[in-house]
Each structure stands twice: as C-alpha cells, then as structure tokens.
Amino acid sequence: MKTFDFQPKMISALRNYNRQTFMADLMAGLIVGIVALPLAIAFGIASGVSPEKGIITAIVAGFLISAFGGSKVQIGGPTGAFIVIVAGIINQYGMQGLTIATLMAGVFLIGFGLLRLGTIIKYIPYPIIVGFTSGIAVTIFTTQVKDLLGMQMESVPADFIEKWIAYFQNLQNIDLWSSLVGVVSVVIIAITPKFSRRIPGSLIAIILMTVVVLLLKQYAGITTIETIGDRFSINSQLPDAVVPDLSWETIKGLVAPAMTIAILGAIESLLSATVADGVIGDHHNSNTELIGQGVANIVSPLFGGIPATGAIARTMTNINNGGRTPIAGIVHAAVLLLIFLFLMPLAQYIPMACLAGVLVVVSYGMSGWRSFSALMRNPKSDVTVLLLTFFLTIIFDLTIAIEVGLICACLLFMKRISETTDVKAVYDEIDLNEDADMERGNLEHLTIPTGVEVYEINGPYFFGAGNKFEDLMGGFGDRPKVRIIRMRKVPFIDSTGLHNLENMCLMSQKEGIAVVLSGVNPKVEAVLRRNHFVQLLGEENICNHIDLALARAKEIIE
C-alpha cells in the first residue's frame, strides 16, 4: 500500500544549499518583507481587525507556509481574497467566531492534503475562479470608497447596493484633502514600476503620504485627514497563544464559512504555486502545499491572526528578487517580526486614505477584467456561470457564490458529458470497414436478420444514456425477437448506466425479447460480471464481436 509522502520543500531545498543561494534568499526575503508590510496592514484593517493582526498573520503564517509547504518560493500571508469573507464572519460571529472558522479551515486544508485532493482542486472551472475573484475585487473597491474620499459617515451599510446608495447620499461630506491623498497614492503606486522594480509603489506611497500628512497637520493646521492612530490603538507586543472556547453549536454554524475559507485558500495557494513553477521551472507538491496551508491556518488564529494563503504578488516579488528556496519566505517573516517589534508605533501616522489607495490598486489587479471580457465571448453556459458567480459574490456573499457556482458548473459538466454519449439504432446493414472490425479482416457489410434490432453505444455509459433507448425503441415498427447492443466504444460504465442497462434488459425479457451484448471491452465486462449480468443474460449472450452476436441472434430466432 502506497504511503502518503509529506515532505516539505524546505527539506529538499537545504540538501544542496550554498552561500550564494543563501545571500540571494536573504536579499529576496528582505525585499518581500518590506513589500508585505503595507499589504498586511491594509488587508488587516479592510478585514475589520486591527493593523497588527494583519502583520501577525503575515509573520506566523508566512513562516509556517514556507517551512511546511510544498513550494520552494511560495510567500504566504493575508490576501485580498479573504477580506470579504473575514469581514462577514466578524460581523456575524465576532472575532472569536473568525478564530474558530479559521481553525476549522486549517483542519479542512490538512484533510484535503491527506486525501490527495490537491490536483482535483486545480480543476475547479475557470469561469468560477474569474467570477468570484472579480466579484471580490469589486467588493474590496466598494469598501474603500469611504476612506479613499474621506467621507464623513456615521456608519456604512454592509449590503453592496445599500452601501453605494449611502455613498451617493453623502457626496457632500467628501473631504478634499483626504481625497487628494488617496488619488495621489493611487498615482504613485501606478507609476512606480516604470522607474523602480524592486521598491514597491505601495511602500513609497505610504512613506511619502505619511510625511506629507504630518507636515500638513503640523504646519498647515489641516486635521481632517484620518490616520490609523485616529481609529486604532497600536500594540507592538507579541500576543500569547489563546485557544478559543469551542462549542458544538458554534462549530455547526461556522462549517460553511470555514469550508469557503479552505476552498478559497486552496485555490489561491495552488494557483500561486503553479504560476511560480512556470517561472522557476520547478514542480510543487500540491498535497504537501495544502497541508502547509492548513498548519498555518491552525496556528495563526491562536495568536490573533486571520486566514492566510499563498500570495501571487508577493511570491512573484520573491522570485524576481532571486528567492529560490523556502529560506526567503522565512527571512520575510523575520523582517516583518523586527518591524513589528521596533517600528510598529509609527504605523499610527499612516493616512487611511493612503491605505485605501493601496487596496484600490490591489482590487484593480484582482479584477482580471481582461479575462472577464474574454470569457464573455465563450459559450453561453460558461458566461452563465461567470456572471452568476460574479453577481452572487457582490450582492450576497462569497460562500453562496462558491456553492451556487460549483453546483451550476457540475450540472453543466454533467450535461456536456451526457451529450458526448450517443445511442443510435443500426438499420439494415452493419458496416465492418472501421475501427476494430478492420483488425479482424472483415471488409464487408453484415445484413441484420428479420426480427433483430441492433443498437450501438458510443461513449461512456452513465446518466442520460440509458433513457435514449426508450426513444430509439419507438422508432422500430414490430416488436423484435432479439436486441443486440454493441458496446465496443464504451470505455466505462457507472452505477447509473448499470441500473439503466439492467432495467432495459428486464423490460425486454418481460416482452419476450432476448438481449445480446456485443464487443464489450474487458474492463466493462468485468463490471458487468460483478453485477450478475451473466446470470441475467446468460454467458452465451455476451459476445466479443458483432458477427458472433448476429450468429447468436439467428440461433435464438431459429
């Protein structure tokens, strides 16, 4: 029996480690840690938690994902994809509910890895991924409008449509200085890549705008620009690990959001690892990666962290700066830890409008509008799944969007697969000048005797195929004495196909019609024998070629 191979990439990477690789990883980890800082703060605040919780997540989860994951270069931490689901859980269940849901998601992720579901998750339909990713991007942008424009509002509705109605009703309450800070931040982030690839635009924008706002407050007397310190009290002390109180009622209520976190984390981390493989020419272990993600999401919430997963942008930054082993990810976590311990109090001066600008740029990158518009030219079924997932994400929530999207995708998949199986009636003659018949040297046509009906199944025999027999049988006039079913092009048969075939055979026998199977391949025949079709039809009525089946039919008629 094959055992599960759980070997983090850390182990294999250290076997051939050298000084040159270490220096490259050290520099890459330093840069990625600096890049991750503003994102961790922004994602934490946008998710409805304090900024230090975002950094704690990046430290703890970032370390564990690099140490125990299945990719050499994966960088983990909080991501924009979780903002919507985290904020929803906090609103409904509170911070303790989020902690429990994240712990459960970690257990689910480990279960996915142990059950070897890593490769299966990759096959979630592309329209679903684009639909809910674009929906998340629109939702993130919507949540940042208030801070981006400095709107003076007592409260912001949770509903998407109500939120926009409230924004339009409060247009007169926009603060021009905050709006200017937000817009300039977006411009800085957008133009930074044109002159600097190593220093992230988000970091430049935060440093520059923080200094500008301090000067405006100090020398111009402008105090309307809200900063992090105006909304949160910054704590730079490392928290103790706390296990939440678990109750069965709470666990039952959090199964759906926890599963959403797990599926979303699995998709994003494996997508990031796959993209990284294409750049560095490596192959990640998808099941080990899921286990590493699960470990991170079990430990991180114990220290007050939020859900984490592999981050494509930070992973690509790691690769572009020379990171090639998990050491870079560990260094990135260490850099964030040092910043947290010694520089965290300075975060209170960061303008909220600047952080909103960072998240607006993040939401634009997540939107994938080019992929979205390209999918709109695809078949109507794909467009339906895309739009359904997209609108459910922004109008309701991500949990409903993923559930309904997967159900629709499965139904469409079953419909398409059932359409690939064709059941047809053969009239008058059987052409042997094709496929396996040519191998037997039968270059001729066989005439179907009177009183014999021949049907041919092309494709897998499962749901939907058996019902096609009823329509075809009505096309014949008189009731036959023998029905021959050619199954040479049936690669497999499932339980539904077996049930339909058995019902058809029993119905035919009740009408006094013998059934003969022809050309059954060995795998399908083994399944039929295990399900007692030999006793049902008789050994002599299961033939391996059509000429033998016709000869048997003549015997029955005579």
Side-chain angles (χ1 to χ4, degrees):
M1 184 177 180
K2 187 176 180 180
T3 58
F4 181 80
D5 179 25
F6 171 55
Q7 179 176 311
K9 285 291 184 177
M10 170 70 78
I11 298 175
S12 59
L14 292 179
R15 288 173 180 167
N16 299 313
Y17 207 61
N18 54 51
R19 185 177 180 276
Q20 183 178 0
T21 306
F22 172 75
M23 294 305 297
D25 287 338
L26 184 65
M27 183 57 65
L30 176 63
I31 294 173
V32 175
I34 295 173
V35 171
L37 175 64
L39 295 175
I41 293 174
F43 291 147
I45 293 175
S47 299
V49 299
S50 57
E52 64 265 21
K53 292 186 182 298
I55 298 182
I56 289 171
T57 304
I59 294 170
V60 177
F63 171 81
L64 294 173
I65 288 172
S66 294
F68 295 102
S71 171
K72 291 181 179 178
V73 294
Q74 183 84 282
I75 301 296
T79 65
F82 285 128
I83 290 176
V84 179
I85 186 67
V86 170
I89 294 174
I90 292 176
N91 288 335
Q92 187 171 357
Y93 298 98
M95 192 62 202
Q96 180 163 319
L98 174 64
T99 300
I100 296 173
T102 308
L103 285 168
M104 293 169 61
V107 174
F108 289 150
L109 283 165
I110 292 177
F112 292 164
L114 294 176
L115 294 173
R116 303 177 183 274
L117 299 180
T119 54
I120 296 177
I121 291 175
K122 293 179 184 178
Y123 297 116
I124 290 179
Y126 187 58
I128 292 180
I129 296 176
V130 174
F132 70 63
T133 303
S134 299
I136 290 170
V138 172
T139 305
I140 292 174
F141 173 77
T142 302
T143 61
Q144 298 308 304
V145 171
K146 173 183 175 293
D147 289 336
L148 184 71
L149 302 179
M151 282 186 177
Q152 304 300 316
M153 299 172 59
E154 293 184 1
S155 62
V156 180
D159 183 74
F160 176 82
I161 297 176
E162 292 179 359
K163 195 182 266 95
W164 278 105
I165 293 174
Y167 289 155
F168 284 112
Q169 290 174 345
N170 287 272
L171 289 176
Q172 72 278 6
N173 297 326
I174 291 176
D175 180 69
L176 294 179
W177 285 105
S178 296
S179 302
L180 185 62
V181 170
V183 172
V184 172
S185 299
V186 172
V187 173
I188 292 173
I189 298 171
I191 65 174
T192 296
K194 295 182 179 180
F195 58 84
S196 175
R197 290 287 181 181
R198 289 184 176 271
I199 303 177
S202 57
L203 184 64
I204 294 176
I206 284 179
I207 294 175
L208 185 58
M209 288 297 100
T210 300
V211 172
V212 169
V213 170
L214 284 173
L215 294 175
L216 288 173
K217 287 187 174 183
Q218 185 73 26
Y219 297 104
I222 298 173
T223 60
T224 57
I225 304 174
E226 187 180 22
T227 63
I228 290 178
D230 295 329
R231 191 177 298 181
F232 301 97
S233 58
I234 304 297
N235 184 4
S236 60
Q237 293 182 346
L238 288 174
D240 297 326
V242 177
V243 178
D245 295 329
L246 301 176
S247 67
W248 179 241
E249 290 301 320
T250 305
I251 291 175
K252 286 194 298 182
L254 290 169
V255 168
M259 184 60 71
T260 301
I261 292 173
I263 294 176
L264 192 59
I267 293 172
E268 190 164 3
S269 63
L270 295 180
L271 179 61
S272 175
T274 302
V275 172
D277 286 347
V279 177
I280 66 174
D282 190 42
H283 294 285
H284 74 280
N285 186 321
S286 57
N287 296 311
T288 303
E289 179 65 22
L290 291 179
I291 293 177
Q293 298 288 338
V295 172
N297 281 282
I298 288 176
V299 178
S300 174
L302 298 180
F303 293 91
I306 59 178
T309 184
I312 295 178
R314 275 159 275 174
T315 299
M316 291 306 299
T317 302
N318 180 35
I319 295 172
N320 293 335
N321 286 279
R324 288 298 180 270
T325 77
I327 296 297
I330 292 175
V331 171
H332 133 271
V335 170
L336 286 172
L337 177 60
L338 293 175
I339 294 174
F340 178 80
L341 293 175
F342 300 106
L343 300 177
M344 192 61 192
L346 297 177
Q348 64 182 315
Y349 302 110
I350 299 174
M352 294 300 299
C354 182
L355 284 181
V358 171
L359 288 175
V360 165
V361 175
V362 169
S363 65
Y364 175 79
M366 286 183 62
S367 66
W369 61 270
R370 292 183 179 86
S371 300
F372 195 100
S373 59
L375 281 172
M376 291 298 292
R377 298 190 293 269
N378 282 13
K380 290 182 179 179
S381 57
D382 288 343
V383 174
T384 301
V385 172
L386 172 69
L387 294 178
L388 187 62
T389 309
F390 174 75
F391 284 112
L392 286 174
T393 300
I394 62 175
I395 295 176
F396 295 98
D397 61 58
L398 192 58
T399 302
I400 295 176
I402 290 180
E403 291 173 352
V404 175
L406 286 175
I407 291 172
C408 290
C410 290
L411 292 174
L412 289 170
F413 173 77
M414 288 189 291
K415 180 178 181 296
R416 289 175 180 173
I417 291 297
S418 65
E419 289 172 351
T420 63
T421 302
D422 176 45
V423 180
K424 65 180 181 179
V426 181
Y427 298 91
D428 300 328
E429 291 183 338
I430 299 173
D431 187 3
L432 298 182
N433 299 328
E434 56 178 275
D435 301 338
D437 295 311
M438 293 185 65
E439 298 176 5
R440 296 175 61 91
N442 295 317
L443 301 179
E444 59 182 62
H445 293 264
L446 291 179
T447 302
I448 301 174
T450 303
V452 177
E453 292 178 357
V454 179
Y455 302 91
E456 182 159 7
I457 306 173
N458 296 314
Y461 190 18
F462 53 128
F463 49 83
N467 296 332
K468 297 179 181 180
F469 274 116
E470 297 179 5
D471 298 331
L472 285 174
M473 289 175 186
F476 286 92
D478 300 331
R479 180 181 299 175
K481 294 183 178 179
V482 180
R483 283 186 176 132
I484 298 176
I485 303 174
R486 301 188 74 187
M487 302 180 66
R488 60 196 177 120
K489 294 182 180 179
V490 177
F492 68 87
I493 185 170
D494 72 349
S495 298
T496 307
L498 286 169
H499 178 70
N500 287 336
L501 182 61
E502 182 181 15
N503 283 345
M504 192 275 296
C505 292
L506 291 172
M507 182 182 67
S508 297
Q509 289 177 351
K510 287 180 180 179
E511 296 176 350
I513 303 171
V515 177
V516 178
L517 304 183
S518 168
V520 184
N521 75 46
K523 290 184 179 179
V524 175
E525 184 176 352
V527 175
L528 295 178
R529 289 182 179 277
R530 285 198 301 271
N531 286 272
H532 311 295
F533 269 80
V534 173
Q535 291 86 338
L536 177 63
L537 301 179
E539 183 76 42
E540 66 281 2
N541 288 337
I542 301 179
C543 306
N544 58 19
H545 196 263
I546 187 62
D547 52 2
L548 299 178
L550 288 172
R552 174 58 186 161
K554 291 178 181 178
E555 291 179 8
I556 295 172
I557 292 174
E558 294 174 355

